[in-house]
Amino acid sequence: MRVKILEDRLSDMDPEAGHLYVQHKDDTLTVPDTLGTKWVGHGWAEDVDGVVPTGSRIVVGATVRPDSVDSPQEA
């Protein structure tokens, strides 16, 4: 499946092939159908041929970790 990456950065392992993909926004590449279908379903990529509809990208349970927990002291 040919996909175009929609995320700023996408890093994912293909468990069937044992291949790590590290891609960036607008990269277009061919990946195995199962992996491409997963990415497109999550809204991380789009199917270049338009066969698989692009899912909605939903962030659930995201955790934001600050660089520091220190707060500036006022004088």
Side-chain angles (χ1 to χ4, degrees), residues 9-29:
R9 181 177 184 273
L10 175 62
S11 175
D12 196 16
M13 177 68 75
D14 178 4
E16 293 177 6
H19 183 81
L20 174 65
Y21 290 90
V22 179
Q23 304 304 135
H24 297 89
K25 188 173 184 77
D26 296 329
D27 285 351
T28 302
L29 67 153

Side-chain angles (χ1 to χ4, degrees), residues 33-64:
D33 289 345
T34 53
L35 185 63
T37 300
K38 172 186 163 186
W39 289 356
V40 171
H42 287 300
W44 301 339
E46 66 183 4
D47 180 1
V48 172
D49 295 327
V51 175
V52 178
T54 304
S56 298
R57 184 182 181 283
I58 300 171
V59 178
V60 178
T63 302
V64 177

